[in-house]
Amino acid sequence: MSRAVKAGMLGLVIAATVWALTLWQWRRTPEAVSGQDIVLHLLVLPLVLTAVAWLAWRAVQRLRDLADRPLDATPKPLAAQGLTATGDSGAHAQASSVEVPEQPVATVLAEALCLSAGHGATEAWHALQEARVRPGLDPELSDADGLPVFSARVPDLDLNDWLLAHGELSAAGGAPWPDPVLRTLALLEGPLHSLLDALGNWRPDPGRQDGLSDEADAADAADPRGLGPARASSLPAGAPSHLSGVGRPDGRAERQARAERAPALQVHLRLPASWASEDRARAVDWVHSQCGALLDWAEAHGAPAPEWPTAWQSQALTAEADPEGVWTELASLWPAWSASPRPQLLLLLAADTAVDETCVAQWQARGELFTSHHQRGRVPGEAGVGLLLANRAWEAWCHTPSGASLAGGPPTPTASDDIAACPRMWQAQVLRRERSADVIGRVDASCAQALLHGVAQRLAPHADGDWTLVSDGDHRASRTAEVFEALLAVRPQADPMLSVVRVGDGCGDMGLARSLVSVALASAGLRQGEPAGMALALLVQDALQRVAVPLTPPSASWPTAAPMSTAMTAPMATQAATPT
């Protein structure tokens, strides 16, 4: 409807109202009505009120437009902004504008998950791509009205059978395990053991790994200080015996130096923050007990024991119900980890379940549960997921000739071919909406659009082909419209019905696990060769946070993108005011 028609209709309504009130007032008073009163009340007053109402309506529209406008999502180089850095001496240093190519942060060696769509990443990928899985009425859960609720429960996961197979949990002393904790551990067990099996395929060739002779080891055992005849006997023929402890390298120091260059492994475990501290500690101990294969892997490589960063866990557990926060926390890890000259692996694990009576009651009390009366709510879901990532130095180790002497031992002959079949993961980009996506009305897609524009610019030419978006958005129209509009704005030739895989629509809200589920599914699709171009894990389930994790297809060499300023290589992040 045009503005002129709207203004005319507004004027007619105001004029009719003013005339009716004026005539009613004149009929009540015995005084005669002058011509000036007729002009003032029947002509001037309606026009003035119409103009005031029209200006007020335009002002409200202007304020709404300003509120819907997102922040500038594309960071500008410092040099372009005219900013300088001032040192203690007062000298101004211009910001660096050295052009460096964008590179992946990790190679996805393996992915594993367990959710309602399937117990494997490939199985779940095909089920969700073909839309063969949908939430259904839960046989055990009901809302406040006694009606069954929709849920995305893993169908063949029975806690009683699982506990019978894990007698150590029921036999352990202390308080009984809460059902949500047990169900989360049951969801995590399958992906954990799948990744441990995959890790076993990346062992070095059998044989001696330290490159030192048996005589040297025997000498060390006979003479720990390396000063006696046992050590002298291991010297080359003709070497002076009085230099036995000086002129020859110390075998133990050499082995220690080689151990410092051996591959390293970190394990990052992400569990719900709503658990009690005692339950969380017991759950972490149980996960540790399941990871004996990690020690075998470290021994085979001559590497130190796997690290379980407690600082990262404590930081991750401070933000309750913030699945997207994992990518913000990992952004501080990527620079040193990805560029490290030491081969390193990273095992990411996450699990969560909302298929629980207490959780359903809390969601309904907050007005967040999907019911027949509130179809804008969330559907409870559950999932366990894990990713096994490797840095660039690990890929270099896989391409090392089998005869080379390495700290962690030579790779298997098929290691170079195996890693060439693995997708590459790039730096995640994070933005924050100005307004909540749960407000009533049309949801603005500018934030997600800015993320996709940033990916297209940073990952050229890898982003020139077809895209496949794996979104954690659920059935709500606000999430679907935001993803579809953002994709069409950046890739007008794309068909959203074919290019978007909506994980949340089939598996509900998976809590903390959804931060990794979309990435694992995108990686599984690339490993199958189905997305011809780039795959993008787009997290839009949260009301404010938006995350995009690009993944590119497998390649024989470490890929790079178009050169760009070093100031652009920092993780994209903007802060916005609290939504109204």
Side-chain angles (χ1 to χ4, degrees), residues 190-567:
L192 173 61
H193 287 286
S194 297
L195 293 178
L196 293 179
D197 293 340
L199 183 65
N201 298 330
W202 296 95
R203 291 192 178 192
D205 262 347
R208 190 163 186 80
Q209 309 299 330
D210 58 5
L212 297 178
S213 64
D214 293 335
E215 291 79 0
D217 283 345
D220 283 338
D223 184 16
R225 299 181 60 186
L227 301 176
R231 171 56 63 186
S233 64
S234 65
L235 294 176
S241 60
H242 65 279
L243 297 178
S244 59
V246 179
R248 190 199 53 79
D250 187 4
R252 288 168 301 180
E254 182 179 352
R255 279 195 299 274
Q256 182 178 0
R258 293 168 66 86
E260 293 176 355
R261 299 190 303 269
L265 173 65
Q266 294 185 25
V267 183
H268 288 181
L269 177 63
R270 193 170 179 86
L271 298 173
S274 58
W275 291 0
S277 58
E278 180 183 356
D279 295 334
R280 189 181 352 270
R282 291 192 296 172
V284 172
D285 291 340
W286 181 85
V287 174
H288 281 208
S289 67
Q290 301 293 310
C291 295
L294 298 181
L295 299 178
D296 297 338
W297 177 88
E299 182 180 359
H301 278 280
E307 299 180 12
W308 296 72
T310 56
W312 187 91
Q313 292 179 15
S314 61
Q315 183 181 6
L317 295 173
T318 54
E320 185 171 353
D322 183 20
E324 293 76 12
V326 62
W327 298 106
T328 304
E329 296 156 7
L330 287 175
S332 61
L333 173 69
W334 293 138
W337 181 86
S338 180
S340 172
R342 180 177 191 172
Q344 297 200 42
L345 297 183
L346 179 63
L347 182 59
L348 297 178
L349 300 171
D352 198 358
T353 178
V355 184
D356 176 65
E357 294 182 359
T358 303
C359 183
V360 168
Q362 292 175 353
W363 282 17
Q364 188 168 18
R366 297 196 300 259
E368 299 177 357
L369 181 66
F370 175 85
T371 63
S372 58
H373 304 293
H374 182 59
Q375 299 189 6
R376 293 172 56 90
R378 296 183 291 165
V379 175
E382 58 184 3
V385 61
L387 292 172
L388 181 60
L389 308 178
N391 67 346
R392 184 175 184 178
W394 180 269
E395 178 161 349
W397 175 80
C398 292
H399 289 285
T400 304
S402 58
S405 177
L406 299 176
T412 59
T414 62
S416 58
D417 296 332
D418 294 339
I419 200 168
C422 296
R424 318 290 178 163
M425 188 174 71
W426 301 67
Q427 173 67 57
Q429 302 184 35
V430 183
L431 286 179
R432 182 179 176 87
R433 293 177 54 91
E434 280 191 330
R435 298 182 63 196
S436 171
D438 294 333
V439 297
I440 299 177
R442 181 180 179 276
V443 176
D444 183 51
S446 300
C447 185
Q449 180 180 340
L451 276 179
L452 300 189
H453 270 302
V455 170
Q457 294 175 1
R458 295 167 66 95
L459 269 66
H462 302 283
D464 294 341
D466 296 333
W467 289 13
T468 299
L469 266 62
V470 184
S471 170
D472 66 340
D474 56 15
H475 65 281
R476 288 175 288 182
S478 59
R479 304 307 193 269
T480 304
E482 183 177 3
V483 175
F484 282 19
E485 290 182 18
L487 177 62
L488 290 176
V490 179
R491 315 294 292 180
Q493 73 277 14
D495 184 356
M497 297 301 298
L498 301 177
S499 301
V500 178
V501 178
R502 295 185 295 163
V503 183
D505 189 36
C507 301
D509 193 324
M510 297 162 286
L512 290 174
R514 73 168 187 260
S515 60
L516 302 180
V517 166
S518 298
V519 179
L521 290 171
S523 177
L526 289 174
R527 203 179 298 274
Q528 297 296 319
E530 295 183 356
M534 182 182 66
L536 187 67
L538 186 60
L539 308 184
V540 297
Q541 181 71 359
D542 189 76
L544 294 173
Q545 293 286 350
R546 295 294 178 264
V547 181
V549 185
L551 294 98
T552 51
S555 59
S557 60
W558 190 261
T560 58
M564 61 193 339
S565 173
T566 53

Side-chain angles (χ1 to χ4, degrees), residues 69-129:
R69 181 181 302 173
L71 295 178
D72 186 9
T74 304
K76 300 178 180 179
L78 296 179
Q81 299 176 357
L83 299 180
T84 58
T86 305
D88 295 337
S89 61
H92 294 273
Q94 187 68 22
S96 174
S97 59
V98 178
E99 298 293 327
V100 295
E102 181 83 1
Q103 297 185 5
V105 294
T107 299
V108 185
L109 299 182
E111 64 280 332
L113 50 80
C114 174
L115 66 166
S116 60
H119 288 276
T122 304
E123 177 187 356
W125 167 257
H126 290 300
L128 291 169
Q129 194 178 34

Side-chain angles (χ1 to χ4, degrees), residues 23-46:
L23 293 177
W24 175 74
Q25 180 66 21
W26 285 350
R27 290 178 61 87
R28 292 184 56 196
T29 58
E31 300 178 357
V33 180
S34 62
Q36 183 178 3
D37 292 337
I38 295 176
V39 173
L40 179 63
H41 291 84
L42 300 184
L43 183 60
V44 177
L45 185 58

